[in-house]
Amino acid sequence: MGIISEIRDSISRTISRIFEDEENAKIGIYGPPNAGKTTLANRISRDWGDDAMGAESQIPHETREATRKKDITIEHDGRSVTLDIVDTPGVATKVEYEEFVDYGLDEDLARERAREATQGVTEAIHWLKEDLDGVLYVLDSTQDPYKAVNSMLNGIIQERSLPVVVVANKIDLEDASPNRIEEMFRQHETVRISGLEGNNIDNLYETIAEEFGG
């Protein structure tokens, strides 16, 4: 079996696992690696559910398979919305095994993680094109948002006319500059938060209830 057939079969199997229940709107948490997607997913899940969704790590591409938390009901000022939250792998235009070697992994394990991360990226883009109903787009406020991967994902979101809330994360850090994110995504609502510290998280929940609550 060729690599393309393997990826196609993997996507089909994962779609069946992740998206078999169509009752609630499915909101994908997207963004580049290390933007804080899983940290935010865990905060939402703990605040409105019962436990965390995944492991948080400084090593890029720690999330290499999507995870879904069903029936998350977010309430704010009389509004409420019940969603399924899908934490997705960080999207990159290319995954190099050297990224993992830099964090101390041996070369064989680094190459395996790079292969898994590449497959995870392919699946995440497929779901964005076909299966999701809305997007929380998470960006690291300390990083330059004007990158090819952000332009590519924003193009897919625009093409599908998906509702989206842009999240300018990590505003608790000294070199955060969320203005750049607001400038790049000026057509969307942007909420400044720290997913780790919980800063301004109530404002994000209010925006989610308004944007995805119908």
Side-chain angles (χ1 to χ4, degrees):
M1 181 180 292
I3 183 65
I4 300 299
S5 295
E6 289 182 6
I7 291 175
R8 186 181 298 119
D9 289 348
S10 174
I11 290 173
S12 179
R13 289 194 300 271
T14 308
I15 286 174
S16 297
R17 174 174 59 83
I18 298 292
F19 300 116
E20 59 185 359
D21 184 349
E22 301 294 337
E23 184 176 353
N24 300 323
K26 301 176 291 295
I27 306 302
I29 301 180
Y30 273 77
N34 282 0
K37 298 180 299 301
T38 299
T39 299
L40 177 58
N42 286 341
R43 178 165 289 279
I44 294 173
S45 183
R46 287 175 176 136
D47 283 350
W48 303 102
D50 49 6
D51 55 10
M53 290 184 65
E56 302 167 23
S57 173
Q58 294 299 313
I59 301 175
H61 305 288
E62 183 68 19
T63 301
R64 298 184 295 283
E65 291 186 344
T67 57
R68 178 182 182 180
K69 177 70 76 174
K70 298 171 64 176
D71 300 327
I72 297 288
T73 299
I74 295 175
E75 302 174 345
H76 194 280
D77 284 347
R79 288 176 174 268
S80 69
V81 58
T82 300
L83 308 167
D84 291 355
I85 300 294
V86 183
D87 184 25
T88 66
V91 176
T93 52
K94 190 173 184 180
V95 181
E96 303 281 3
Y97 80 91
E98 289 89 346
E99 295 179 57
F100 300 97
V101 173
D102 290 342
Y103 282 87
L105 277 67
D106 67 49
E107 185 170 324
D108 287 344
L109 181 57
R111 288 184 183 278
E112 176 63 18
R113 287 210 174 189
R115 186 192 67 78
E116 292 173 352
T118 299
Q119 182 168 313
V121 169
T122 303
E123 292 171 349
I125 292 174
H126 179 87
W127 302 326
L128 184 61
K129 290 180 176 178
E130 302 288 340
D131 299 296
L132 293 169
D133 303 304
V135 174
L136 285 174
Y137 198 86
V138 182
L139 292 142
D140 181 344
S141 295
T142 70
Q143 300 295 313
D144 180 4
Y146 290 92
K147 296 179 178 177
V149 65
N150 292 327
S151 297
M152 177 189 70
L153 290 174
N154 192 35
I156 296 171
I157 291 168
Q158 295 297 321
E159 183 177 339
R160 287 202 60 206
S161 299
L162 288 171
V164 58
V165 174
V166 177
V167 180
N169 195 22
K170 304 189 183 182
I171 61 169
D172 56 305
L173 299 182
E174 187 175 351
D175 53 348
S177 182
N179 290 341
R180 294 178 299 183
I181 296 172
E182 292 169 344
E183 176 70 20
M184 179 172 180
F185 295 93
R186 63 180 67 180
Q187 72 274 37
H188 300 298
E189 178 84 14
T190 296
V191 182
R192 303 179 178 196
I193 71 159
S194 167
L196 181 64
E197 301 294 337
N199 300 350
N200 208 30
I201 198 71
D202 284 343
N203 190 21
L204 177 61
Y205 292 146
E206 179 182 7
T207 305
I208 289 173
E210 292 175 351
E211 187 68 26
F212 303 129

